[in-house]
Coordinates of all heavy atoms in Angstrom, one line a residue:
D124 N 129.1 54.9 113.4 CA 130.2 53.9 113.2 C 129.6 52.5 113.3 O 130.4 51.5 113.6 CB 131.3 54.1 114.2 CG 132.0 55.5 114.0 OD1 132.3 55.8 112.8 OD2 132.3 56.2 115.0
C125 N 128.4 52.3 113.0 CA 127.8 50.9 113.0 C 127.7 50.3 111.7 O 127.2 49.1 111.6 CB 126.4 51.0 113.6 SG 126.4 51.5 115.4
V126 N 128.2 50.9 110.6 CA 128.3 50.3 109.3 C 129.8 50.2 109.0 O 130.5 51.2 108.7 CB 127.7 51.2 108.2 CG1 127.7 50.6 106.9 CG2 126.2 51.5 108.6
P127 N 130.4 49.0 109.1 CA 131.8 48.8 109.0 C 132.4 49.4 107.8 O 133.5 50.0 107.8 CB 131.9 47.2 109.0 CG 130.8 46.8 109.8 CD 129.7 47.7 109.4
K128 N 131.8 49.3 106.6 CA 132.4 49.8 105.3 C 132.5 51.3 105.3 O 133.2 51.9 104.5 CB 131.6 49.3 104.1 CG 131.7 47.8 103.9 CD 131.0 47.4 102.7 CE 131.1 45.9 102.4 NZ 130.3 45.5 101.2
E129 N 131.7 52.0 106.2 CA 131.7 53.5 106.2 C 132.5 54.1 107.3 O 132.4 55.3 107.5 CB 130.2 53.9 106.3 CG 129.3 53.4 105.1 CD 129.7 53.9 103.8 OE1 130.5 54.9 103.7 OE2 129.5 53.2 102.8
R130 N 133.3 53.3 108.0 CA 134.1 53.8 109.1 C 135.3 54.5 108.6 O 135.9 54.1 107.5 CB 134.5 52.7 110.1 CG 133.3 52.2 110.9 CD 133.7 50.9 111.6 NE 132.5 50.3 112.4 CZ 132.5 49.1 112.8 NH1 133.5 48.3 112.6 NH2 131.5 48.7 113.5
S131 N 135.8 55.5 109.3 CA 137.1 56.1 109.0 C 138.2 55.1 109.2 O 138.0 54.1 109.9 CB 137.3 57.4 109.8 OG 137.5 57.1 111.2
S132 N 139.4 55.4 108.7 CA 140.5 54.5 108.8 C 140.9 54.3 110.3 O 141.2 53.2 110.8 CB 141.7 54.9 108.0 OG 142.1 56.3 108.4
I133 N 140.8 55.4 111.0 CA 141.2 55.3 112.5 C 140.2 54.5 113.3 O 140.6 53.7 114.1 CB 141.3 56.8 113.1 CG1 142.4 57.6 112.4 CG2 141.4 56.7 114.6 CD1 142.5 59.0 112.9
V134 N 138.9 54.7 113.0 CA 137.9 54.0 113.7 C 137.9 52.5 113.3 O 137.7 51.6 114.2 CB 136.5 54.6 113.4 CG1 135.4 53.7 114.0 CG2 136.4 56.0 114.0
D135 N 138.2 52.3 112.0 CA 138.3 50.9 111.6 C 139.5 50.2 112.3 O 139.3 49.0 112.6 CB 138.5 50.8 110.1 CG 138.4 49.5 109.5 OD1 137.4 48.7 109.7 OD2 139.4 49.0 108.9

Side-chain angles (χ1 to χ4, degrees):
D124 295 317
C125 295
V126 181
K128 292 182 179 180
E129 301 300 334
R130 291 169 181 164
S131 68
S132 58
I133 295 178
V134 174
D135 186 57

